[in-house]
Amino acid sequence: EVELVESGGVLVQPGESLRLSCAASGFAFSLYSMNWVRQAPGKGLEWVSYITSDTRTINYADSVKGRFTISRDNAKNSLFLQMNSLRAEDTAVYYCARSVAGSFDHWGQGTLVTVSS
Amino acid sequence: EIVMTQSPATLSVSPGERATLSCRASQSINSNLDWYQQKPGQAPRLLMYGASTRATGVPGRFSGSGSGTEFTLTISSLQSEDFALYYCQQYNNWPRTFGQGTKVEIK
C-alpha cells in the first residue's frame, strides 16, 4: 500500500527557515516524480513544487520561487522541501503527492506550517 | 498561468439526486484535467484523470466529461459519503493550477 508521511511542520517566525520531509513507502519511490501542494487554512489547494525521479526537472510556483527548494533522497525514499524566508502567507498544510502522468494519485496526510510572530 | 474557474461555489443537493459540477480553463488544456474530492480534515483524493477516467476504486456513479476549456463532473445519485469539496486541476501547463472548489452539501 502506498503511504506518504509528511513531517517537520511547526510554528516559526517570519523570516525563519524550515525543512519538511515526506517518507514514502509501499512503492518504488525512485521511479516516480513527486510534488508539494499546500492548503492555507480554510482555503483551496495550491501546487508548490515538482521534482522528477532523477531530479533533472524541478519546477516551482512563482509564489515560492527563490525561497523554497525541493529535493529528494531516493536511497532513503524521502522527499524534502527547504523553506527559507518564510512569510505569513506561507502558513498552510503542506502535502506531498505522488505524480503519475501529471495527476496527483496519492497524497500524504499533510503537515501544518504556521508562520507568525 | 492557466486560471481554473469552478461553478457553482456551493451546490445543495438531496441524497439520491444528480449533481453536476463545472470547471472552466482560461485556455485550452486538451483533456489534461483531474478532479479531486476532499473531506474535512482529510487529504484530497484523486477521483478522475484525463477528464473522464475514474481513478482506482472510484464508484461508477462518478463520471467526467469535457475537453479544451469546459469540463463537467457528474455524480449520478448522491450518497452520504459524496458530500464534500471537489477541485479540478489542470496538468497541461506549468504551473499546475487548481480551481477554487465546489462544495457539495446536503439540501
Side-chain angles (χ1 to χ4, degrees):
Chain A
E1 179 188 358
V2 173
E3 189 171 20
L4 299 167
V5 180
E6 302 91 339
S7 61
V10 292
L11 169 63
V12 296
Q13 295 194 343
E16 292 188 339
S17 298
L18 196 59
R19 190 192 198 206
L20 303 183
S21 300
C22 172
S25 61
F27 67 103
F29 178 76
S30 63
L31 300 182
Y32 287 84
S33 299
M34 297 293 295
N35 300 268
W36 288 98
V37 179
R38 68 184 181 184
Q39 186 169 35
K43 302 297 184 182
L45 299 167
E46 179 188 17
W47 169 80
V48 172
S49 186
Y50 164 87
I51 185 169
T52 52
S53 57
D54 60 4
T55 73
R56 288 187 178 184
T57 298
I58 288 176
N59 290 315
Y60 297 100
D62 285 346
S63 57
V64 306
K65 202 172 293 184
R67 300 187 299 123
F68 289 13
T69 303
I70 192 171
S71 62
R72 63 191 296 160
D73 184 339
N74 286 340
K76 295 184 177 179
N77 293 337
S78 295
L79 176 72
F80 305 102
L81 186 68
Q82 177 66 42
M83 304 187 293
N84 298 333
S85 304
L86 282 161
R87 306 167 180 167
E89 54 264 35
D90 295 319
T91 294
V93 174
Y94 285 73
Y95 297 101
C96 65
R98 190 177 79 168
S99 267
V100 173
S103 302
F104 306 141
D105 74 328
H106 284 89
W107 299 61
Q109 85 292 345
T111 188
L112 176 62
V113 173
T114 305
V115 184
S116 175
S117 54
Chain B
E1 171 175 317
I2 295 177
V3 177
M4 305 300 293
T5 303
Q6 291 185 240
S7 61
T10 303
L11 189 59
S12 298
V13 186
S14 299
E17 290 189 339
R18 182 187 194 91
T20 303
L21 290 67
S22 296
C23 176
R24 174 178 291 178
S26 59
Q27 65 188 73
S28 177
I29 57 170
N30 302 296
S31 295
N32 296 319
L33 182 103
D34 290 337
W35 289 95
Y36 297 87
Q37 178 192 64
Q38 188 178 33
K39 297 180 180 179
Q42 296 185 16
R45 168 198 178 196
L46 178 65
L47 282 181
M48 205 77 60
Y49 60 92
S52 60
T53 303
R54 282 189 298 275
T56 302
V58 175
R61 62 182 179 271
F62 289 89
S63 62
S65 64
S67 66
T69 62
E70 301 284 342
F71 301 87
T72 300
L73 176 71
T74 301
I75 312 170
S76 60
S77 177
L78 272 158
Q79 305 300 301
S80 57
E81 61 267 30
D82 302 333
F83 293 96
L85 263 169
Y86 292 84
Y87 294 95
C88 61
Q89 180 249 331
Q90 65 82 20
Y91 54 91
N92 196 71
N93 286 41
W94 296 101
R96 305 309 196 211
T97 47
F98 290 88
Q100 80 280 16
T102 290
K103 181 181 180 181
V104 177
E105 65 176 23
I106 300 175
K107 186 174 182 180

